[in-house]
């Protein structure tokens, strides 16, 4: 197998040197963290008042965890460590309460992030000869622009098409002889199912590889999609809090994801106790961002579950590998790659006077894509049976929901008392998607 590196020295750095580099970078980001109101309150209490208080990597353990809610509380600038003049990019991900989380980047932050993406791309064997169609949505989501700049840095021909519009995607793939895709598993499956409609088969395309991420999927899904398209598929993992994609990526061996440990310190903890678990044991993934100065995040709890492989990879990279994501510690749903919390849906529904208190969130899959159906009971006094009024109400609910969760849903209105009632803990989410 041919192994290509983007930065061979860093990618094959002996572990003790890698740890030394992590220590230096940790001190640096702690210095930035101490510029933010949020960490100014937190770190001195933990005995860290200056970067020198980090004497070894073990001192990381003194730092309390940071959670998603801290980012919301700190909105908009409580975690900003540099002057706004230094900020050149802002990304954001949606929140459970309508308050978004916001990520700031300096030009140097973007440069370091882009470099890890270039490294990820080259690790999968892609290069300047490739034509890359980026099907992740551009905008506040990091999967679009993030990967875009990484691919340009490698010298690929980048087609910044973004998500959706399957017919056009296929047309572009054919016209430009696209060789590499960046895509969610559900969308790749959907494209395959729609191809016959346009008289196409994978043999009409020039696809060689796909980087697949943003939502959980199984090894079987990868194998199935590889077979359907006759391509190589690599797992790509990231989250906006750690810049976006390029936190962990598979190499040509496709045996789980190298975590770029010079950019991110990974810890796997028992989500109940916060204590570290043994290598090979599943737990919650915690990251410390070592390369972003505008918005430092230390020991961020991702709520993703995975485990670390103790043994090295035959590719020679010294960065350890994490397993694919096996689950979440919270109830976050990923619907066609978009993160949605049931509480966001509830909040919108309960703000609409016509909607009663009973509702159900139903997920299914059609032509490879996820479908969200929200079933709501409407208030008896408002239940007039006037069809036009009901239609208008459905539209209103869908519009309000879309404004909050960014995706379309089907709304079903139900008579008062007709949805299942719960005596104990309500089970509001019914997920009937077959496992990807
Ligand atoms: P976002 O911050 O919107 O990019 O969402 C990040 C979340 O998406 C992660 O915390 C994971 O839950 C999920 N995610 C991203 N990539 C993958 C992947 N390759 N496999 C499983 N889940 C993923
Ligand atoms: Zn490898």
């Amino acid at each position: 197998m041919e192994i290509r590196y983007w930065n061979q020295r860093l990618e094959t750095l002996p572990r003790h040197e890698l740890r030394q580099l992590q220590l230096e970078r940790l001190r640096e980001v702690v210095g930035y963290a101490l510029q933010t109101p949020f960490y100014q309150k937190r770190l001195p209490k933990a005995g860290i008042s200056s970067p020198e208080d980090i004497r070894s990597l073990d001192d990381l353990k003194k730092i309390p965890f940071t959670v998603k809610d801290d980012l919301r509380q700190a909105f908009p600038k409580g975690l900003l460590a540099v002057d706004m003049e230094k900020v050149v990019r802002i990304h954001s991900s949606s929140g459970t309460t309508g308050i978004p989380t916001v990520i700031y980047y300096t030009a140097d932050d973007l440069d370091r992030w882009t470099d890890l993406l270039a490294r990820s791309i080259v690790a999968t064997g892609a290069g300047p000869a490739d034509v890359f169609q980026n099907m992740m949505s551009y905008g506040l989501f990091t999967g679009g622009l993030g990967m875009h700049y990484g691919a340009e840095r490698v010298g690929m021909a980048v087609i910044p098409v973004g998500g959706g519009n399957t017919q056009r995607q296929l047309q572009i793939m054919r016209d430009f002889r696209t060789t590499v895709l960046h895509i969610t598993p559900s969308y790749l499956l959907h494209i395959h199912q729609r191809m016959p409609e346009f008289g196409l088969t994978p043999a009409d395309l020039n696809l060689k590889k796909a980087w697949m991420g943003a939502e959980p999927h199984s090894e079987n899904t990868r194998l199935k999609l590889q077979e359907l398209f006759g391509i190589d598929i690599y797992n790509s993992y990231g989250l906006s809090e750690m810049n976006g994609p390029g936190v962990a990526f598979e190499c040509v061996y496709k045996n789980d994801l190298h975590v770029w440990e010079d950019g991110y310190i990974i810890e796997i903890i028992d989500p109940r106790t916060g204590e570290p678990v043994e290598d090979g044991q599943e737990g919650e993934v915690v990251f410390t961002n070592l390369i972003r100065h505008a918005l430092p995040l230390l020991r961020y709890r991702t709520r993703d579950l995975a485990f670390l492989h103790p043994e090295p990879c035959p590719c020679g990279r010294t960065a350890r590998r994490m397993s694919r994501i096996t689950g979440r510690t919270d109830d976050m749903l990923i619907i066609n790659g978009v993160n949605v919390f049931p509480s966001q849906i509830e909040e919108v529904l309960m703000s609409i006077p016509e909607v009663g208190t009973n509702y159900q969130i139903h997920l299914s899959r059609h032509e490879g894509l996820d479908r969200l159906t929200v079933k709501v009971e409407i208030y008896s006094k408002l239940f007039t049976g006037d069809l036009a009024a009901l239609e208008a109400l459905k539209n209103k609910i869908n519009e309000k929901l879309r404004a909050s969760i960014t995706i379309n849903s089907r709304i079903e209105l139900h008579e008062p008392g007709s949805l299942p009632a719960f005596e104990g803990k309500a089970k509001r989410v019914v997920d009937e998607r077959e496992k990807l």
Side-chain angles (χ1 to χ4, degrees):
M1 192 131 20
E2 200 203 344
I3 311 293
R4 292 174 57 236
Y5 301 104
W6 173 249
N7 183 331
Q8 183 162 3
R9 191 187 74 81
L10 274 179
E11 289 172 63
T12 58
L13 210 57
R15 294 283 314 170
H16 67 278
E17 286 183 43
L18 182 58
R19 277 194 295 273
Q20 184 57 34
L21 180 61
Q22 286 185 320
L23 176 60
E24 285 160 23
R25 291 187 168 174
L26 177 61
R27 286 197 185 117
E28 195 175 20
V29 291
V30 163
Y32 281 95
L34 285 165
Q35 303 296 315
T36 68
F38 175 82
Y39 283 118
Q40 270 163 9
K41 268 198 225 128
R42 246 185 216 203
L43 294 184
K45 274 192 217 149
I48 297 160
S49 307
S50 87
E52 288 72 52
D53 292 327
I54 302 286
R55 285 186 199 86
S56 75
L57 280 179
D58 276 347
D59 287 334
L60 182 68
K61 305 256 169 341
K62 290 187 189 160
I63 301 177
F65 294 117
T66 304
V67 298
K68 183 115 181 160
D69 209 43
D70 293 327
L71 275 121
R72 282 195 210 102
Q73 305 275 339
F75 182 82
K77 290 194 178 157
L79 272 156
L80 181 62
V82 300
D83 285 341
M84 258 328 260
E85 282 165 32
K86 287 245 154 67
V87 171
V88 299
R89 177 91 67 78
I90 296 178
H91 281 289
S92 158
S93 72
S94 54
T96 53
T97 61
I99 305 174
T101 56
V102 57
I103 310 294
Y104 300 101
Y105 307 76
T106 66
D108 288 341
D109 293 346
L110 288 184
D111 185 61
R112 286 182 285 261
W113 176 27
T114 301
D115 220 62
L116 291 184
L117 282 160
R119 180 192 295 182
S120 307
I121 290 169
V122 170
T124 67
D130 282 297
V131 178
F132 165 48
Q133 188 163 336
N134 193 0
M135 295 195 185
M136 290 291 186
S137 60
Y138 279 68
L140 288 174
F141 176 57
T142 52
L145 282 177
M147 195 60 92
H148 179 103
Y149 285 109
E152 280 190 352
R153 183 162 295 185
V154 169
M156 303 174 88
V158 183
I159 312 176
V161 58
N165 198 341
T166 305
Q167 184 170 6
R168 184 154 159 265
Q169 299 278 12
L170 281 164
Q171 177 92 39
I172 292 173
M173 276 196 253
R174 216 169 45 159
D175 292 350
F176 293 96
R177 311 291 293 150
T178 301
T179 56
V180 180
L181 302 178
H182 181 211
I183 191 166
T184 60
S186 49
Y187 196 44
L188 191 55
L189 195 57
H190 179 74
I191 288 186
H192 189 266
Q193 295 184 344
R194 298 279 308 275
M195 286 178 76
E197 231 176 273
F198 308 108
L200 290 172
T201 70
D204 298 312
L205 305 174
N206 193 31
L207 282 185
K208 305 272 190 279
K209 297 181 190 352
W211 307 316
M212 202 159 78
E215 51 184 34
H217 53 281
S218 63
E219 182 62 23
N220 281 339
T221 297
R222 184 229 302 262
L223 293 175
K224 180 172 156 194
L225 286 165
Q226 288 196 140
E227 170 123 8
L228 288 175
F229 281 93
I231 59 175
D232 287 304
I233 297 181
Y234 303 90
N235 198 349
S236 149
Y237 170 85
L239 60 160
S240 39
E241 290 82 358
M242 294 298 125
N243 299 331
V247 174
F249 228 91
E250 282 188 322
C251 70
V252 284
Y253 284 95
K254 294 185 209 160
N255 53 8
D256 283 345
L257 308 98
H258 286 281
V259 179
W260 304 133
E261 291 180 90
D262 51 328
Y264 308 96
I265 295 179
I266 182 169
E267 298 170 79
I268 309 271
I269 61 162
D270 178 332
R272 285 174 305 264
T273 61
E275 291 301 315
V277 302
E278 302 276 308
D279 279 355
Q281 294 271 308
E282 186 181 277
E284 183 178 344
V285 183
V286 174
F287 284 115
T288 296
N289 192 323
L290 296 176
I291 52 171
R292 192 177 55 219
H293 297 164
L295 190 144
L297 277 182
L298 309 172
R299 303 193 86 199
Y300 180 72
R301 289 183 68 153
T302 62
R303 299 192 167 262
D304 288 325
L305 295 170
F307 61 87
L308 271 176
H309 291 279
E311 65 288 345
C313 180
C315 74
R317 289 181 180 80
T318 47
R320 285 175 300 170
R321 288 164 297 130
M322 75 172 202
S323 68
R324 57 180 66 248
I325 301 301
T326 54
R328 297 270 309 169
T329 64
D330 62 10
D331 57 356
M332 185 178 90
L333 304 166
I334 303 190
I335 306 176
N336 295 322
V338 178
N339 303 346
V340 175
F341 288 91
S343 57
Q344 277 176 285
I345 297 180
E346 169 162 328
E347 192 176 80
V348 170
L349 294 179
M350 294 309 123
S351 73
I352 302 174
E354 293 92 331
V355 170
T357 49
N358 204 5
Y359 67 93
Q360 201 182 69
I361 297 165
H362 192 266
L363 290 160
S364 53
R365 190 166 280 129
H366 295 265
E367 295 184 323
L369 285 186
D370 298 336
R371 176 183 286 172
L372 165 65
T373 306
V374 180
K375 304 180 179 185
V376 297
E377 282 184 11
I378 50 183
Y379 258 132
S380 23
K381 357 189 229 300
L382 299 166
F383 191 77
T384 60
D386 172 355
L387 278 183
L390 293 177
E391 209 46 45
L393 177 58
K394 273 195 201 173
N395 288 337
K396 171 167 145 187
I397 299 174
N398 184 33
E399 284 306 312
K400 285 205 156 196
L401 271 178
R402 198 171 47 202
S404 166
I405 61 177
T406 73
I407 55 176
N408 245 323
S409 42
R410 297 175 161 233
I411 308 297
E412 275 181 21
L413 300 180
H414 290 256
E415 285 182 43
S418 62
L419 287 177
F422 301 95
E423 285 175 356
K425 196 170 153 47
K427 188 177 176 329
R428 303 225 180 262
V429 179
V430 179
D431 194 343
E432 284 180 344
R433 296 177 289 187
E434 74 271 22
K435 253 203 156 357
L436 265 184

